[in-house]
Amino acid sequence: MSSNNSHILSRRAFIRNSSLAGGGLVIGFNLFQACKPKVIAEPAIDLSTLDYNDFNAFIKIADNGAVTIFSPNPEIGQGVKTSMPMIIAEELDVAWKDVYVEQGILDTENYTRQVAGGSQSIRQGWDALRQTGAKARHMLVSAAASRWGVDPSECTVSDGVITNAAGETLGYGEVVNEAALLEVPEEVELKHPKDYKIMGKDATNVDIEKITSGKPLFGLDYKADGMVYAAVVRPPSFGHKLVSYDDSEAKGMPGVIDVVTIGEKVRSLLAEDPGFSSKISSSDKVVVIAETTWQAFKAKEAIKATWEEETPMESTEQHDEILTALLDGNDFNTMRSDGNVKKAFAEADQVLERTYESPFLPHNCMEPMNFFANVTEEKVHLAGPIQTPAWKAGLVAKMLGREEKDIHLEMTRMGGGFGRRLYGDFVIEASEISDKIKKPVKVVYTREDDMEDGIYRMAIKYRIKAGVKDGKLTAYHLKEAAVNDNMYGLIPNFFPAGAVENYQVDAASYDSNITTGAWRAPYTNFLAYAEQSFFDELAEMMEVDKIQLRLDLLQNVKGTTDERIQYSPERMEEVIKLAVEKSGWGTKPAGVHQGFVNYYCHNTHVAEVADVEIENGEPVVKKITCVVDCGIVVNPTGALNQIEGGVIDGVGHSMYGELQFKDGKPTSNNFDGYRLIRMKEAPVVETYFVENEHTPTGLGEPTLPPAGGAVANALKAATGNRLYKQPFIKSPELLKVPEKEIIG
């Protein structure tokens, strides 16, 4: 099965990245096409004994047959360090147990999009990674055929062993030197999915042994000779700047090396890069340098800093009023407008309008923010957990007045990211501190630092209005009002775009000094709940079946020539029908209340059904049935981990997640005051994949957004009450359980 996808690796790029190294074939792939590779399986041989040069994104085949794949992109827990090498190994036709993976460093010459974000790794790398493996296999087989004096078509290969018609065999390692000298083919035949031996089979996370045994792997584990630790005294709230400080007590504490301030270089950077300016404070900060993290933390508490208000300090109540005023006003950016919604509403027999509200949310990664920097005259050495290494390296170069080639950045595995590690303010801090103290240093945040001086999911309100004429949905108007949504990220071309003749999407934003940014499944993480809850209520008003309303709307999109539409009505219809079947929709016994949603985001179609029961007078989410169409599933185990994690995260934050502000400061700064879902509250997640041969799509984010809507609709079925505000646990309607349910 050959591919005509535009992401196929070019012959020139393939040749440019192919060479002899250490007696082995080195095959590179451009990550503009191969978006994000990653893998690590323990080899049977000692790789330290092999004579390898420095590589980037390459397949390395040693003369003993060992295969190594460098992973150039950040591993954030999404599993691409396992699944992407599986793709190469499949087409290369080697045994997965013989594959070893190493984490690459930042290399902007050989790689592009070294990014962890958007659930795009497998999707964008699919064709190039397959081509890489298949072309290497072709060259190895050709080398063996030449040695035997036979035609390559007479040879077969399996698990890295080439066999000719006479039954003779050669391992990849035996012909790798000869293969490296051959011309790279223009096109090679790719495997058909029915012939896959690695993809579609469960593979253990390649880092699992290190994770479970506590071996150095994460940013907090990173150490370097002479390294010191830094803890930063930050403004007490958004809107404050440093006036003065007293460090006399701190300097006398055990292990304290120095106390310095930073901020000047950051301010110059912010002037150069306005796109980064809303993600980091421009105020001076006090930094304690110590021999250990704990000593730095304790001395930080002894710093007596004086601050003054620089900009107005904001509170949740103000945001609530401002967002409501935006929805009521006319200052919108129209993102899509089909037909004439105003006229359609004027002619409608029925009109339904509802407003939905969501709060700020912190990311709360398990591993607090941290980063290592060592700024010297020769180079700037950076290391740690970061989702956007190239962006941060460029910013550091700007801030320090260095060439980007001077920046050497190593990526560690991340203990969570969810968008928080896209921005890398901690990278900037570490670099400025090291430049000032002339020592290698690691900045480490406390949990309080992370929550009080974070980059949060923005607070948003959605207002949705629908018009019905002669029993048909004829008008749909979606309005967004958000804090700091200057990019207008609301999605205008997802369902029900194209399904309603008169359709309009508008967005408005309020600029706040509270830093906000991407949070897992940006925008859709709340929008899915609002829209899908609205569709259920709309169906009730129209007195039609909830599922049938969605299916009928999809019929309007089939055969569309509108290239703006991003979802497939046929694939959406399939996940809906399979979810109805697998969840037992409408057939559950009394006392089990169900809520349905369907959603598309990150190129993946999902349908979810929540089962809610009443226990001790309170509704409890017992189960989520999740149907996913993500195309070919490369690693089922990894896919299930992403799906289940996304669903539980979606349930937990819609039920409990909320961060409020008072006078520019979060009212919660640790887990004793911020509510997360608990293990006993996590529902059973039952997952089903739609089997097809479509190119793989995203999985790290698509199952989170629908979860809140499924739960909201199930809670309506259980209590009779609609919920219009997250978190649900704060809604008084949640506990208004019908008497018959309490008795039952």
Side-chain angles (χ1 to χ4, degrees):
M1 181 179 70
S2 63
S3 172
N4 60 2
N5 190 290
S6 61
H7 288 291
I8 289 179
L9 193 68
S10 72
R11 180 172 178 272
R12 177 177 296 178
F14 195 95
I15 293 174
R16 175 170 54 81
N17 288 323
S18 300
S19 64
L20 278 172
L25 175 64
V26 182
I27 298 175
F29 45 90
N30 183 311
L31 285 185
F32 175 74
Q33 300 147 344
C35 182
K36 309 178 183 182
K38 300 181 185 153
V39 157
I40 281 191
E42 289 296 333
I45 51 89
D46 182 4
L47 287 171
S48 65
T49 65
L50 301 180
D51 183 19
Y52 285 143
N53 297 321
D54 287 336
F55 305 121
N56 303 310
F58 297 106
I59 299 173
K60 298 190 302 184
I61 303 177
D63 51 17
N64 66 358
V67 178
T68 302
I69 302 174
F70 274 80
S71 172
N73 283 69
E75 171 58 55
I76 198 174
Q78 77 279 50
V80 294
K81 194 174 180 180
T82 302
S83 56
M84 297 196 79
M86 290 174 70
I87 299 171
I88 297 175
E90 181 68 72
E91 293 292 350
L92 184 61
D93 215 330
V94 293
W96 179 243
K97 63 181 178 61
D98 295 332
V99 174
Y100 180 78
V101 183
E102 296 181 5
Q103 177 66 59
I105 64 170
L106 174 66
D107 183 349
T108 55
E109 288 189 18
N110 291 300
Y111 308 145
T112 60
R113 203 186 183 275
Q114 285 184 274
V115 174
S119 299
Q120 296 297 300
S121 301
I122 298 297
R123 176 174 175 259
Q124 293 196 24
W126 177 246
D127 285 299
L129 294 173
R130 288 192 298 157
Q131 286 284 330
T132 296
K135 288 184 178 182
R137 182 189 72 237
H138 178 92
M139 295 165 70
L140 290 158
V141 171
S142 296
S146 178
R147 184 185 293 190
W148 285 321
V150 301
D151 191 274
S153 64
E154 298 177 27
C155 303
T156 59
V157 61
S158 179
D159 292 344
V161 178
I162 306 160
T163 305
N164 63 21
E168 298 173 292
T169 62
L170 286 169
Y172 279 175
E174 298 176 81
V175 295
V176 66
N177 292 342
E178 298 153 71
L181 300 175
L182 299 178
E183 184 176 351
V184 179
E186 290 282 358
E187 281 192 36
V188 293
E189 184 177 356
L190 299 174
K191 286 186 177 182
H192 190 278
K194 67 179 177 60
D195 298 321
Y196 290 162
K197 295 186 293 184
I198 296 175
M199 288 196 289
K201 307 296 189 298
D202 291 331
T204 303
N205 185 314
V206 294
D207 281 337
I208 194 65
E209 190 274 333
K210 290 182 178 179
I211 293 171
T212 55
S213 63
K215 292 180 180 177
L217 186 62
F218 297 89
L220 284 175
D221 300 322
Y222 191 90
K223 288 183 174 61
D225 291 341
M227 185 179 81
V228 295
Y229 294 85
V232 181
V233 181
R234 306 175 186 283
S237 65
F238 291 94
H240 272 98
K241 69 175 182 178
L242 182 67
V243 175
S244 63
Y245 66 97
D246 178 357
D247 61 4
S248 55
E249 181 182 349
K251 281 187 171 180
M253 295 178 71
V256 174
I257 299 169
D258 202 357
V259 177
V260 299
T261 60
I262 57 171
E264 182 180 347
K265 288 186 179 294
V266 167
R267 284 190 292 277
S268 66
L269 172 62
L270 299 184
E272 276 194 63
D273 197 310
F276 189 64
S277 63
S278 63
K279 311 303 178 190
I280 186 169
S281 170
S282 61
S283 171
D284 283 336
K285 299 174 185 176
V286 184
V287 183
V288 175
I289 311 298
E291 295 173 359
T292 69
T293 306
W294 183 248
Q295 289 170 336
F297 285 171
K298 296 304 292 181
K300 170 187 165 182
E301 295 174 3
I303 298 291
K304 298 176 177 63
T306 302
W307 308 84
E308 70 177 13
E309 184 178 337
E310 184 176 29
T311 58
M313 294 178 292
E314 301 170 7
S315 298
T316 296
E317 292 78 8
Q318 293 173 273
H319 296 142
D320 183 71
E321 294 174 0
I322 290 168
L323 295 182
T324 297
L326 283 175
L327 287 178
D328 291 338
N330 297 306
D331 189 14
F332 285 96
N333 175 51
T334 297
M335 303 180 67
R336 176 166 175 151
S337 181
D338 300 343
N340 187 330
V341 293
K342 188 174 182 180
K343 181 173 182 291
F345 281 125
E347 297 174 351
D349 300 324
Q350 296 173 289
V351 173
L352 179 68
E353 182 176 274
R354 293 290 183 263
T355 300
Y356 302 85
E357 304 176 36
S358 69
F360 288 95
L361 290 180
H363 294 82
N364 281 332
C365 307
M366 184 176 291
E367 178 190 21
M369 301 302 109
N370 67 91
F371 221 80
F372 167 85
N374 186 18
V375 179
T376 65
E377 291 184 5
E378 292 75 30
K379 68 176 181 179
V380 178
H381 181 191
L382 305 174
I386 181 66
Q387 292 180 244
T388 51
W391 183 23
K392 296 299 99 56
L395 289 173
V396 169
K398 282 184 183 180
M399 180 178 72
L400 300 179
R402 304 289 288 263
E403 298 291 328
E404 288 197 33
K405 63 181 176 60
D406 294 341
I407 311 297
H408 173 83
L409 193 152
E410 299 175 34
M411 291 167 281
T412 63
R413 191 179 181 97
M414 286 173 263
F418 315 114
R420 176 62 182 92
R421 286 187 160 100
L422 288 170
Y423 304 103
D425 40 316
F426 39 88
V427 182
I428 304 300
E429 288 179 349
S431 301
E432 187 175 9
I433 294 167
S434 178
D435 182 59
K436 187 153 196 173
I437 67 174
K438 307 304 179 188
K439 294 178 185 290
V441 63
K442 183 191 285 187
V443 168
V444 182
Y445 284 36
T446 63
R447 180 63 59 189
E448 289 79 7
D449 288 335
D450 210 17
M451 290 186 70
E452 291 182 351
D453 191 33
I455 296 174
Y456 314 98
R457 184 189 81 171
M458 62 195 69
I460 301 180
K461 290 190 179 187
Y462 290 121
R463 183 169 293 168
I464 308 177
K465 185 177 181 181
V468 176
K469 177 71 173 177
D470 298 329
K472 301 292 184 182
L473 179 61
T474 56
Y476 189 91
H477 191 187
L478 170 63
K479 297 164 83 174
E480 173 194 272
V483 174
N484 290 338
D485 187 11
N486 295 322
M487 294 183 295
Y488 298 110
L490 184 143
I491 311 299
N493 297 314
F494 289 2
F495 182 78
V500 186
E501 183 179 358
N502 303 288
Y503 174 84
Q504 186 166 321
V505 177
D506 293 328
S509 176
Y510 161 69
D511 293 334
S512 169
N513 57 26
I514 295 173
T515 52
T516 60
W519 190 92
R520 190 176 186 179
Y523 307 103
T524 60
N525 55 53
F526 175 64
L527 177 59
Y529 145 69
E531 288 196 308
Q532 289 294 310
S533 180
F534 183 82
F535 273 114
D536 259 31
E537 189 167 0
L538 180 63
E540 292 169 1
M541 184 187 80
M542 296 172 66
E543 298 182 344
V544 298
D545 181 80
K546 299 179 178 67
I547 307 294
Q548 195 59 50
L549 172 62
R550 293 165 166 88
L551 292 173
D552 289 344
L553 288 171
L554 287 171
Q555 305 314 305
N556 299 336
V557 191
K558 289 183 177 179
T560 183
T561 58
D562 186 348
E563 295 183 355
R564 295 172 298 172
I565 302 299
Q566 297 181 30
Y567 63 95
S568 162
E570 292 81 9
R571 295 176 75 173
M572 184 69 82
E573 183 177 59
E574 190 168 7
V575 296
I576 289 174
K577 291 181 177 179
L578 189 56
V580 168
E581 174 194 341
K582 297 299 185 181
S583 68
W585 178 261
T587 65
K588 292 288 184 176
V592 179
H593 309 276
Q594 293 187 303
F596 176 90
V597 299
N598 61 279
Y599 205 68
Y600 167 91
C601 64
H602 297 88
N603 311 104
T604 293
H605 300 77
V606 176
E608 295 180 19
V609 176
D611 289 5
V612 166
E613 298 179 27
I614 305 299
E615 293 183 351
N616 300 318
E618 296 185 5
V620 178
V621 183
K622 304 291 286 187
K623 177 182 175 182
I624 303 287
T625 302
C626 185
V627 174
V628 178
D629 180 354
C630 60
I632 293 171
V633 179
V634 176
N635 180 8
T637 294
L640 285 173
N641 288 339
Q642 290 300 293
I643 289 168
E644 293 174 3
V647 169
I648 292 172
D649 202 7
V651 171
H653 279 91
S654 62
M655 285 289 292
Y656 310 111
E658 179 184 40
L659 191 69
Q660 293 198 358
F661 284 82
K662 184 174 179 59
D663 296 329
K665 184 176 182 175
T667 56
S668 303
N669 65 7
N670 212 315
F671 294 136
D672 60 340
Y674 182 79
R675 183 75 157 86
L676 289 167
I677 191 170
R678 298 178 174 122
M679 290 183 69
K680 66 179 182 179
E681 296 164 338
V684 171
V685 181
E686 192 171 278
T687 300
Y688 298 91
F689 293 102
V690 174
E691 296 183 7
N692 56 45
E693 296 177 7
H694 291 298
T695 298
T697 55
L699 268 185
E701 294 165 289
T703 63
L704 183 151
V711 170
N713 288 336
L715 291 172
K716 164 60 169 64
T719 68
N721 302 310
R722 284 274 166 213
L723 304 177
Y724 300 101
K725 186 175 183 178
Q726 291 185 354
F728 300 151
I729 197 69
K730 291 288 187 74
S731 174
E733 287 77 20
L734 181 66
L735 300 181
K736 292 180 180 177
V737 178
E739 188 67 24
K740 61 182 178 64
E741 291 290 349
I742 298 176
I743 295 172

